[in-house]
Every structure is written in C-alpha cells, then in structure tokens.
Amino acid sequence: MAQTDKKFFENLTGAGKAIAVLTSGGDAQGMNAAVRAVVRMGIYVGAKVYFVHEGYQGMVDGGDNIKEATWESVSSMLQMGGTVIGSARCKDFRTREGRLKAAHNLVQRGITNLCVIGGDGSLTGANLFREEWSGLLAELVQQGLIDEEASQKYSALHIVGMVGSIDNDFCGTDMTIGTDSALHRIIEVVDAIMTTAQSHQRTFVLEVMGRHCGYLALVSALACGADWVLIPEMPPEDGWEEKMCQKLSATRSRGSRLNIIIVAEGAIDRHGKAITSSIVKDLVVQRLGFDTRVTILGHVQRGGTPSAFDRILASRMGVEAVLALLETTANTAACVVSLCGNQSVRLPLMECVQMTQEVQKAMDGKRFEEAVRLRGRCVSYALFVTCGVANYFLSFDCSFLYNTVFLLTKAEFDKKIHNFNVAVLNVGAPAAGMNAAVRSAVRVGISEGHKMFAVSDGFEGFYKGQIKEIKWADVGGWTGQGGSLLGTKRTLPAKHIDKIAEQMRKYNINALLMIGGFEAILGIMELLAARGTYEELCVPMVMVPATVSNNVPGSDLSIGADTALNAITDTCDRIKQSASGTKRRVFIIETMGGYCGYLASVGGLAAGADAAYIFEEPFDIRDLQSNVEHLTEKMKTGIQRGLVLRNENSNENYTTDFIYQLYSEEGRGVFDCRKNVLGHMQQGGAPSPFDRNFGTKIAAKAMQWITKKLNESYRKEDSACLLGMRRRAMVFQPVVQLKDETDFVHRIPKEQWWLKLRPLMKILAKYKTSYDISDSGQLEHVVLRRPKESEAMAAI
C-alpha cells in the first residue's frame, strides 16, 4: 500500500460520543484486559466511556451500575482474572420491558455505542437490542420518559462484540478471549498429576470443560501426550471401549507407568449417550484392573491470571472494537472483532452467531462431520494425536475435519516398510516446545513409513557422527519438557560440510528436518550452497522456526516465543506486586532477544509497560527524558508503579544501567527505581500450551511436506524450505527467497509484523503516537471453504 493510501487512527475522533462496555455471561480470563483497552482507547480518542456493572442486569437496573470510567480506574486490571466490572445472567433483558428500561438508562447518559464482551447468547441479545432500538425510543417518547429531540439525537445504537469464552466455541474467530489461559490451568494440573501417576502406576481420567465444544479437551490432550481423548464433536465409533482398553494395556506393556485420558464434559457416543469421566473410570477398572482416579477440573479452568496470549489478544480486540465504533454508521451491521491467523478482523456478528448455532443443530441431529465443518476456524488446529493404537489425524482447519483412523499397533509400525531415512536435529539456542516438535516429527515420520534418526548437539553432533535411530517409544513424554533433549549448539555447518556429507552418506539420510532459530536458517543456506559439490546434500530440507527471540525471517511466530513471553509477563506481575503498598517506584527490566525487540515490545503490551526500548525503533536522550517526564506526571495522578522494558541490544550506549541511573536521578523526589535483568529464565521452564501445540502441528506439517518431496525431484529450488506462519496462513517458503528479507548483520527480518503493535502499548500508556489502521475497517464475511494445503492455520 502506498504511503498516501495509508489510514491513521488520529484522523478519527470520539469527541461527543459515549461508549459503554460490559461483560456478560460466563467470565473468562482476559476480559479485564479487553475492558481496559476499550476504556483507554475510548478516552484517548476523546469519547466518554462508561462501565456497565453486572452485565445486562446492570444496564436494566441503571443507577450506580452505569458509571463513567477514568484512565486510572482501569489501572492494575490487566493481570486480574475474571471480570472486575462483574457479569450476571439477566432474565429481565430477555423481555421487551427490560430492554426498554435499559434503553432509557443509556439515553439518559447519551450512550449510543455499546461494546459487549461475552458469548453467543450475550451477543445475540445485543443485536436484538440494536434492532429494536428505534422502536424502544419511540415507546420512551410516547411514555414521556424522553423528548423527541433526544430520540432524534440518539436515533442509532452501534454494537461491537468481543468473544469471551474459555471453550473457544464461537465460529468466526480462531481463538476466543480466555481459551489460552484455560489451557494453561489444565496443563498445570495435568503436569502435576503425571508425577503422582508415575509414582503409583495409576490411570487418571481428567474431565475438562466443553459442554458443546471439545477444543480444550483435544488441545490439552495433544499438549500433554494423553493416551485417549473424548470430545462431543467427534463421538467414537461403536466398540471404542475395547479399543481404548487395548491402547492403555499396550502402553503399560511397553513400560509406561501412567495413562492419561481426557474427557470433555459434553462427550457423547454415536447414539447421543453421555460418556462421563466416571463411566470411563469404571470401564478401565472393570476391564483392566488398573488403579484409576478421576479429577474434575471444574471452575479452576476459569480462574487465575490471564496468559500473555490472552492479554495481548484482548488488548488488540479492545482497541479494534473502539475503532469499529468510531467508523460505524447507521447502516453498518453489528460486528464482532475476531482473530484470523495473526490478524484482527471484523465479521458480521449475526453471521457468526448463526453459524455457531448451526453447529449445535448439527450435533443434535447427529450430523457430526457437518458440525465440525461448521466450526470453521473456531478450532483452528491441524493436529496429530499419535496415540499408538489409534492415530487420529484431526484437522479442524477452516471448514472441515480429516478423520483418518490408522489403527496401527506398535508392532505394526515396526513391520512397516521403511521407504526413506529422515534425520531431525535442533540448531541454535534451546527453546521451549522444541521437544514437542521433535516428538511430533518422529511419530509422524514413523507413521508414514520412514526410518527416523536423531542428531545430537546440532551440526556439531552431525559432523561428529552423533546420530542414532529414534523410535516411537523414545519420544514418549517429551511434549511437556523444556529445553532440548536432543541437545543443541550454535555451530554452523560450513567448516564441516565434508564430514556432514560423509555422515549423510554413511546413514543414507534422504531428508533433513531442522528445528531452530537464526543459526538454523544460516545452516540450511550453507548446506544449500554446497549442493553443487556434495551430491549427498541434494535432499529435501525443511526448517521449523524455534527461538525465544522470534527473529526468524519468513515466519511471524517461532516455537518458544510464547513461553518466553509468559515468563516475562509473570515476572513483571510479581515485580510490580512487590511495590504494592510502598512508595512510588519504576522498574527497569532487561529482556532477551538479541537485536530483535519482539519480547520487549509484545511483553510490554502484555505486562502493561510504560515504555519499551528496542533496536528497531532508535531512541536518544530526548526520548528518555520525555519518558521520565511522562512517568512523573503519571505518578502525580495516584498511580504508584511504572514499568519500562529494554531489549538487551537496543542501544550500545544507553545500557540498562545507564537508563536505571538516569531514571533514578531525574525521578528523585517523585519515584525511585529498581532494575532487573531477566536473563536465561526466559529460555527455561515447561513449554506453554501454545508452544506445545504449535510445535506439534508445524513439525507434523513439515514431515508431510518431506514425504511429498521425497517422491519428487530433490534438485528443485523449493526442496530447501522454511515452514512459517505468515499473517493468516502456514506457508512453505524456499530459503533462497528469504535472503532479500533478512538483515544478516543484526540477525533479524527486514520487516517485522509486531512493530505495528507498538503504538498500542504507547496508546494504552497514554503517549501521543501515530497508529496505522490501514488493515482495519474492512467488514469481512464468514466463508466456509476447504482450505488449500498451504493455508492450514495456526491458532495464535
């Protein structure tokens, strides 16, 4: 888009407008972040913003339930779970009389813009309210409660929705607010349970939420390597009981000391009969005699602090919702702000609601394949749940479900003819989720008939011959482990190409899968350049990005970055909490990332930072002084804490120590300072649910690509590719095409999508800034279509 065609939000104004924000239905982590974003963005553009406490009930009751919000009133909300402004079921609003009272309460305050955060029922109610608005105003005039002038002035009600639901059951968005946090709660419990299950050789049956949608069950099963999963959209075939017991028994016979079965609360069989956790437990005890326990997670899944993903998602959606309200007209349909791949989009609210309702109708009619197709990108994962006896290739991508049940036992895998040898190695620094990617690649490769080889310690281990066959059982339990179990080093292959070629010849390696960061892309480029000399290197090669820095060209996201963001966010929460009750204090936090400012910028948005210093956005002493003055003014309003993040290589002169000393001196008498260098804690820890599943999915797709290429000519340019996420799609990109997109000196892509998020952090911290909204404003439509191979989505 040409510079002259760009659209900036500062050309929009909210002067004279009033916006009300409410949360309705069940609570979900991240709702407060959405409320905060709506309030601050609304105030920023000059509008009045009102809280509606207790959802629609508060709108009907009026009075103190509808209060004007201030900038300071949403401070410290970002990290809080639930919804601070309250939520309630409201029977009154379902009646016309109740909606008449609500309309009167809004008109009295001049509110004609409504931002609703809730599920499909809450959004349906909002749309009905909008459709009835003119009739409600006419009735209020007739009753003498408002005059004709008010009726004309407030003649149109504008509605924008955001979906808050841990179930991820709303069609039209890849992820709903709260889903990722719920997965965090589930995985925390499962990881803890696995240790006690191993100690006592127990089977655990875990029941998770999802009355009508099996997303939480399916994704948590993948994230923890569960033995079996039962979800409502895909009831098991008759005789599933025997197949499940065979699987559990086979797992134990191979030396495993535990079994994990995950059941969605709405799981049913093909005849519509409920499959409860207690039924599954009794089945295992009676048929196998295993010591079995049931754990029902219940409302713990709704609780706790929101994850980094949910904070960022909710903040982006909240800002987008205000922009939508500013741009709406009397003829604009009510819209819902959704996530499509890596972009915020606006969709007609009722198109999404109707499709969501059609899902339930299809399930009620036992048309399960149709139900999954209608889910669309609501559950946007292409997943291999490789469970030994039953290997489900489940693709919830866009509008269809692949359900191929291979029914291959462990013995049958061994008997299968190995057509090709594929080597897997980790390259660069360790990143959480690498092990999940290796596990997925190994098991998918074996299921497709390949012989899989593991290379220890990256290219260094490769040329030293640290290569051995890796089998199905060897990667059991890898999904939830951090770091790199294969070992990884930063060594590049160029100096050892001859020895690497020798090892490839020795082990007859037919394809390479590299999982790593910037060193991995440099490595694959060096191997590609040596093809003219070494015939052994003329094999399919694919790289999967895995680095906390998220600095790999060709991919918006990398395995490990989400875990690092959660580590930063959790630490910042604790650091800010340490200042609770003390005098005013500003914290200077140094993050990792090399020259890439992703962690500092996006972590700053998730943690509610006041500033984030990065290499990509040069700054000088005047900027530092301006930030100090901004924080000084902030402290005078009663806010007692400030947070400043600095990327480790943002500036060689303005170091963390320098900034700390500057802030300490200039803030003297107003606030004091503390500094923290987070260091390698950002690389450690158990991988987040997102990284586990992203690693599993992207490695599975990489192995599918390898299988396809092994049956084609090796010498094609596109036989050395990077698999990455670009905007809305997962795409394979020839490595040679990425050279022009790369700043090799600073080891970053020349263009980085997340730089567009930096203005959001500044706006929500009350800085005057420019914000490019050229990609916003287009009302799209919900379309059901079968995706192309290259368009399989990652839910972020």
Side-chain angles (χ1 to χ4, degrees):
M1 184 177 291
Q3 185 70 30
T4 54
D5 296 331
K6 286 193 173 183
K7 182 171 64 172
F8 295 90
F9 92 107
E10 50 264 41
N11 297 324
L12 300 173
T13 178
K17 294 188 176 183
I19 301 171
V21 57
L22 64 93
T23 53
S24 179
D27 65 301
Q29 307 96 317
M31 279 184 165
N32 289 323
V35 170
R36 171 181 177 269
V38 170
V39 169
R40 292 199 165 177
M41 187 63 172
I43 293 173
Y44 192 91
V45 297
K48 284 188 175 182
V49 185
Y50 291 85
F51 292 132
V52 179
H53 292 273
E54 310 307 333
Y56 287 117
Q57 190 65 55
M59 193 187 298
V60 173
D61 295 341
D64 289 340
N65 288 303
I66 305 176
K67 292 182 179 179
E68 187 172 353
T70 66
W71 192 275
E72 292 73 27
S73 62
V74 292
S75 295
S76 302
M77 281 179 62
L78 191 60
Q79 66 268 28
M80 298 178 70
T83 165
V84 170
I85 61 175
S87 180
R89 310 288 182 185
C90 181
K91 293 182 179 178
D92 293 339
F93 193 75
R94 296 178 184 175
T95 67
R96 185 174 175 85
E97 182 182 356
R99 294 191 290 275
L100 188 67
K101 290 179 181 178
H104 185 216
N105 288 327
L106 294 186
V107 170
Q108 282 183 314
R109 294 163 178 80
I111 299 170
T112 56
N113 298 279
L114 198 58
C115 185
V116 180
I117 307 166
D120 63 323
S122 302
L123 300 181
T124 302
N127 190 67
L128 175 61
F129 191 39
R130 172 182 173 274
E131 290 175 346
E132 291 183 343
W133 184 256
S134 58
L136 293 171
L137 293 193
E139 196 170 334
L140 289 172
V141 171
Q142 186 179 3
Q143 293 180 10
L145 295 174
I146 64 172
D147 56 30
E148 190 65 39
E149 182 182 351
S151 176
Q152 293 295 322
K153 185 176 180 180
Y154 307 120
S155 59
L157 178 68
H158 307 297
I159 301 287
V160 172
M162 288 182 278
V163 190
S165 167
I166 68 166
D167 291 335
N168 202 31
D169 56 355
F170 191 81
C171 294
T173 184
D174 288 350
M175 288 286 274
T176 57
I177 296 170
T179 302
D180 187 70
S181 299
L183 285 171
H184 274 260
R185 300 294 91 77
I186 294 170
I187 295 306
E188 287 167 5
V189 172
V190 174
D191 284 352
I193 279 177
M194 289 177 77
T195 58
T196 185
Q198 285 177 326
S199 300
H200 298 277
Q201 288 190 294
R202 282 179 176 153
T203 296
F204 269 89
V205 181
L206 275 77
E207 181 181 301
V208 302
M209 285 185 168
R211 189 172 295 114
H212 305 296
C213 180
Y215 185 90
L216 290 178
L218 177 61
V219 177
S220 58
L222 188 71
C224 70
D227 297 281
W228 206 265
V229 60
L230 295 158
I231 61 173
E233 291 94 338
M234 192 180 166
E237 299 289 345
D238 291 346
W240 65 272
E241 299 93 338
E242 183 61 30
K243 293 173 185 175
M244 183 185 75
C245 289
Q246 286 177 357
K247 166 65 181 70
L248 300 179
S249 182
T251 301
R252 286 292 178 92
S253 68
R254 295 198 298 270
S256 175
R257 294 178 58 84
L258 79 157
N259 298 113
I260 299 290
I261 303 167
I262 296 185
V263 183
E265 61 178 332
I268 54 175
D269 64 17
R270 286 276 162 179
H271 308 288
K273 181 182 177 183
I275 302 176
T276 66
S277 52
S278 59
I279 288 175
V280 175
K281 175 198 171 182
D282 293 342
L283 181 66
V284 174
V285 171
Q286 291 168 10
R287 297 201 181 189
L288 299 175
F290 290 175
D291 185 4
T292 307
R293 299 286 189 273
V294 171
T295 299
I296 299 175
L297 271 64
H299 283 74
V300 70
Q301 296 159 87
R302 290 187 187 275
T305 186
S307 66
F309 183 99
D310 274 328
R311 298 184 196 196
I312 296 162
L313 174 66
S315 296
R316 292 177 69 181
M317 284 186 169
V319 169
E320 185 70 22
V322 173
L323 293 175
L325 288 171
L326 293 180
E327 295 180 326
T328 192
T329 66
N331 299 321
T332 304
C335 74
V336 60
V337 179
S338 301
L339 180 74
C340 179
N342 203 21
Q343 287 187 292
S344 294
V345 297
R346 303 175 195 173
L347 298 172
L349 189 153
M350 289 314 296
E351 284 187 20
C352 298
V353 168
Q354 287 163 7
M355 190 174 294
T356 302
Q357 293 172 346
E358 286 297 317
V359 173
Q360 191 56 47
K361 291 178 183 177
M363 290 176 65
D364 292 341
K366 297 183 174 59
R367 302 188 306 276
F368 299 110
E369 290 185 5
E370 180 184 347
V372 173
R373 180 178 61 84
L374 288 168
R375 279 280 183 223
R377 293 157 79 154
C378 170
V379 193
S380 177
Y381 273 86
L383 304 176
F384 270 94
V385 181
T386 46
C387 300
V389 171
N391 301 287
Y392 297 94
F393 176 60
L394 301 180
S395 173
F396 280 81
D397 283 343
C398 297
S399 63
F400 70 101
L401 167 69
Y402 288 116
N403 175 20
T404 305
V405 183
F406 295 120
L407 296 177
L408 297 174
T409 66
K410 175 66 170 54
E412 286 172 325
F413 277 128
D414 288 340
K415 292 175 184 176
K416 199 167 183 179
I417 297 173
H418 297 295
N419 296 316
F420 297 101
N421 296 341
V422 181
V424 182
L425 65 156
N426 293 338
V427 183
M434 275 185 165
N435 296 321
V438 172
R439 170 185 178 270
S440 175
V442 168
R443 292 196 168 181
V444 172
I446 292 172
S447 71
E448 294 190 351
H450 306 315
K451 194 172 186 178
M452 301 300 296
F453 287 86
V455 180
S456 300
D457 296 334
F459 287 116
E460 183 173 318
F462 208 147
Y463 81 78
K464 289 180 177 178
Q466 296 171 205
I467 304 168
K468 66 176 182 179
E469 184 180 356
I470 187 167
K471 298 185 177 180
W472 187 278
D474 296 335
V475 293
W478 280 33
T479 309
Q481 297 195 47
S484 168
L485 293 174
L486 286 185
T488 181
K489 292 190 176 180
R490 297 179 184 271
T491 306
L492 295 176
K495 295 180 180 179
H496 311 284
I497 288 288
D498 55 339
K499 293 180 181 178
I500 289 174
E502 181 184 336
Q503 295 298 336
M504 292 189 71
R505 183 169 59 253
K506 176 181 177 180
Y507 289 93
N508 190 27
I509 301 299
N510 305 119
L512 288 177
L513 172 60
M514 284 160 269
I515 302 166
F518 205 86
E519 290 84 1
I521 200 163
L522 293 176
I524 197 172
M525 287 178 178
E526 290 179 0
L527 293 177
L528 187 60
R531 278 184 170 179
T533 306
Y534 298 95
E535 179 73 19
E536 295 84 355
L537 300 180
C538 297
V539 300
M541 303 177 189
V542 63
M543 177 198 158
V544 169
T547 168
V548 300
S549 301
N550 198 34
N551 64 332
V552 175
S555 186
D556 291 348
L557 296 172
S558 299
I559 298 167
D562 183 72
T563 304
L565 280 177
N566 278 286
I568 293 168
T569 304
D570 292 345
T571 304
C572 287
D573 285 351
R574 296 184 184 191
I575 287 172
K576 288 195 294 183
Q577 191 179 53
S578 72
S580 180
T582 66
K583 60 183 178 180
R584 300 183 182 103
R585 183 164 289 168
V586 173
F587 295 95
I588 315 295
I589 311 294
E590 181 183 300
T591 67
M592 296 180 85
Y595 286 97
C596 180
Y598 176 82
L599 291 180
S601 297
V602 182
L605 180 60
D610 296 280
Y613 300 120
I614 63 171
F615 169 79
E616 294 91 341
E617 195 172 282
F619 58 96
D620 58 25
I621 195 68
R622 291 181 294 273
D623 297 309
L624 295 173
Q625 182 63 37
S626 175
N627 294 150
V628 172
E629 292 170 358
H630 182 87
L631 281 164
T632 300
E633 291 301 314
K634 172 182 173 178
M635 297 298 176
K636 291 177 181 178
T637 65
I639 298 175
Q640 295 197 334
R641 288 167 292 182
L643 183 66
V644 175
L645 272 61
R646 178 189 175 275
N647 167 246
E648 59 184 348
N649 289 344
S650 56
N651 189 293
E652 62 180 349
N653 295 314
Y654 299 132
T655 63
T656 301
D657 284 337
F658 178 90
I659 293 174
Y660 163 70
Q661 291 169 1
L662 175 69
Y663 272 66
S664 297
E665 180 63 29
E666 296 299 316
R668 185 174 296 176
V670 180
F671 58 81
D672 65 1
C673 283
R674 295 290 186 274
K675 66 175 179 178
N676 291 83
V677 178
L678 301 185
H680 284 77
M681 64 159 288
Q682 296 159 87
Q683 283 186 342
S688 67
F690 180 90
D691 279 329
R692 298 183 194 201
N693 292 299
F694 185 45
T696 299
K697 175 189 172 178
I698 197 170
K701 288 201 68 66
M703 284 305 305
Q704 288 181 290
W705 179 88
I706 283 174
T707 299
K708 179 182 176 184
K709 291 298 174 183
L710 283 170
N711 295 307
E712 298 176 357
S713 171
Y714 293 163
R715 294 183 178 276
K716 290 183 179 179
E717 180 186 83
D718 66 352
S719 67
C721 283
L722 178 139
L723 172 57
M725 184 176 181
R726 281 289 182 93
R727 292 169 70 89
R728 303 188 185 188
M730 296 278 287
V731 293
F732 291 93
Q733 302 148 95
V735 171
V736 293
Q737 295 179 9
L738 296 176
K739 289 183 178 180
D740 293 338
E741 300 180 22
T742 307
D743 176 352
F744 287 98
V745 174
H746 298 104
R747 299 161 64 91
I748 56 175
K750 291 180 179 177
E751 292 188 11
Q752 302 185 85
W753 69 273
W754 52 265
L755 286 169
K756 291 185 177 181
L757 298 183
R758 282 185 60 80
L760 297 188
M761 183 191 70
K762 295 179 181 179
I763 288 168
L764 297 177
K766 214 174 185 178
Y767 284 92
K768 288 296 180 183
T769 188
S770 180
Y771 181 33
D772 182 1
I773 57 170
S774 305
D775 292 336
S776 300
Q778 217 39 33
L779 189 66
E780 303 184 12
H781 293 276
V782 181
V783 179
L784 286 177
R785 63 184 178 84
R786 188 175 294 274
K788 297 177 183 177
E789 177 69 18
S790 64
E791 293 180 338
M793 298 298 304
I796 103 156

